């Protein structure tokens, strides 16, 4: 954990406690610093995109400068680590500002994580992946704070402390403790699948279920999704999770599950006598289903997902 460094003897700017939601006695000091001395927060979970909102921020900075100082803390190796204000810093770089106003906070690593997450969660639009990793970072920080100075706990006590930490995380938050836990589950997804959640190609609830399958199974699932041009529904994701628990989550099983489910969802019904024209009488239901699924998968692959 980084040691606290004494702050430079600068004039304090009053009233910033209302802007950042902090007590006056915890307010840091404000000064102008070269923008080159600002460094991003380590493992910052929030994306800085050159989108329409960034264009608006750039225009605001060009006309008015940075109205709200960037929150930072001292780095042991020199310069300052940005806690809140990565978007403002990026806009200032685009505009060409050489210096920016910052408010320096004297924070430990865990205090900095909590401040960074709380400041960024106030944004109107937050991607699921951003929430997922932000909540996880803050939860880990709270756990470390709660554990500091305590003796080692047995397993049952640790479970209780984990639940207490999650409840702390949900205090003053629009998301419940259960919802926060489900967001954190998304950090178990492969980056490609998590990007599909951000892009709304996979819905939140199915994504949570898919987070329980292994990384290798997630790779297989992505291959099947691409080959069959399908996306798991909630019920399908729950079945895939069950296949994983039963050690039966193979590529063939995924093809069969997604293809058959897709047919059911479209209410396509084939009469028994029509199907049996192509199979011997002794063929089992499992054999018939397996062959039909293979033929459907080959057809979809040949016809480009039609």
């Amino acid at each position: 954990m980084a040691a606290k460094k004494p702050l430079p003897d600068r004039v304090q700017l009053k009233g910033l406690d209302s802007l950042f939601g902090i007590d006056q006695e915890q307010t840091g000091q404000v000064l102008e610093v070269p923008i080159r001395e600002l460094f991003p927060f380590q493992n910052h979970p929030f994306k800085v995109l050159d989108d329409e909102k960034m264009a608006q921020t750039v225009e605001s900075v060009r006309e008015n400068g940075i109205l709200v100082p960037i929150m930072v803390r001292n780095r042991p190796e020199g310069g300052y680590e940005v806690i809140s204000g990565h978007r403002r810093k990026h806009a200032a770089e685009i505009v060409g500002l050489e210096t920016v106003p910052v408010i320096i906070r004297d924070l430990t690593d865990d205090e900095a994580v909590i401040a960074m997450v709380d400041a960024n969660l106030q944004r109107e639009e937050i991607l699921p992946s951003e929430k997922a990793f932000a909540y996880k970072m803050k939860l880990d920080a709270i756990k470390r704070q709660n554990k500091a100075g305590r003796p080692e706990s047995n397993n049952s006590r640790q479970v209780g402390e984990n639940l207490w930490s999650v409840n702390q995380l949900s205090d003053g938050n629009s998301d419940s403790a259960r919802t926060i836990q489900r967001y954190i589950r998304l950090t178990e997804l492969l980056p490609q699948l998590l990007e599909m959640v951000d892009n709304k190609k996979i819905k939140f609830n199915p994504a949570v279920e898919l987070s329980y399958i292994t990384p290798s199974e997630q790779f297989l699932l992505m291959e099947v999704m691409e080959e069959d041009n399908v996306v798991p529904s909630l019920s399908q994701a729950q079945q895939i999770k069950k296949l994983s628990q039963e050690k039966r989550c193979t590529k063939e099983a995924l093809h069969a599950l997604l293809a058959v489910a897709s047919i059911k969802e479209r209410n396509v019904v084939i009469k028994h006598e029509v199907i049996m024209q192509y199979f011997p009488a002794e063929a089992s239901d499992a054999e018939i289903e397996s062959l039909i699924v293979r033929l459907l998968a080959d057809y979809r692959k040949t016809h480009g997902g039609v």
Side-chain angles (χ1 to χ4, degrees), residues 166-167 170 175-183 208-209 212:
V166 174
N167 287 331
S170 66
D175 291 324
S176 66
R178 174 59 178 158
T179 299
I180 288 173
Q181 287 179 313
R182 288 168 64 78
Y183 268 110
V208 173
E209 299 298 324
Y212 288 93

Side-chain angles (χ1 to χ4, degrees), residues 118 138 164-175 177 180:
D118 287 346
K138 184 175 178 180
W164 182 44
S165 298
V166 174
N167 287 331
Q168 283 182 280
L169 181 54
S170 66
D171 286 345
N173 199 304
S174 59
D175 291 324
I180 288 173

Side-chain angles (χ1 to χ4, degrees), residues 31 106 123 125 283:
L31 64 154
D106 191 16
R123 287 164 39 193
E125 297 181 9

Side-chain angles (χ1 to χ4, degrees), residues 147 149-153 157 161:
K147 187 177 180 180
R150 294 184 183 179
E152 289 296 322
S153 305
R157 182 176 173 185
E161 289 177 345

Side-chain angles (χ1 to χ4, degrees), residues 269-281:
V269 179
I270 304 176
K271 293 181 179 180
H272 179 266
E273 56 267 26
V274 173
I275 292 178
M276 292 311 297
Q277 294 179 59
Y278 304 97
F279 295 93

Side-chain angles (χ1 to χ4, degrees), residues 215-261:
S216 60
E217 291 167 343
Q218 291 182 40
F219 271 116
L220 291 179
L221 175 60
M222 287 192 298
E223 290 180 354
V224 172
M225 290 169 59
E226 182 177 358
E227 292 171 6
D228 294 354
N229 193 28
V230 293
V231 176
S233 64
L234 176 57
S235 63
Q236 292 168 352
Q238 291 169 338
Q239 293 176 69
I240 292 171
K241 177 182 175 182
K242 184 177 180 182
L243 285 175
S244 176
Q245 293 170 339
E246 297 172 350
K247 309 298 182 185
R248 296 191 300 112
C249 191
T250 63
K251 191 171 182 179
E252 292 73 19
L254 291 171
H255 273 301
L257 190 158
L258 295 177
V260 172

Side-chain angles (χ1 to χ4, degrees), residues 73-142:
R73 67 170 180 161
N74 285 292
R75 297 170 78 239
E77 57 270 55
Y80 305 92
E81 181 179 41
V82 176
I83 297 173
S84 173
H86 290 79
R87 289 172 55 82
R88 277 167 279 158
K89 173 182 177 288
H90 184 61
E93 289 172 329
I94 294 175
V95 171
L97 299 184
E98 294 185 359
T99 64
V100 292
V102 303
I103 179 170
I104 303 176
R105 299 287 307 281
D106 191 16
L107 302 174
T108 64
D109 289 347
D110 289 335
E111 290 170 345
V113 167
I114 293 172
M116 179 273 296
V117 172
D118 287 346
N120 282 279
L121 284 178
Q122 305 305 315
R123 287 164 39 193
E124 293 181 5
E125 297 181 9
I126 304 176
L127 295 173
S129 64
E130 294 177 322
K131 267 193 176 185
F133 284 100
Y135 279 146
K136 187 177 188 304
M137 289 178 69
K138 184 175 178 180
L139 179 60
D140 290 343
I142 291 174

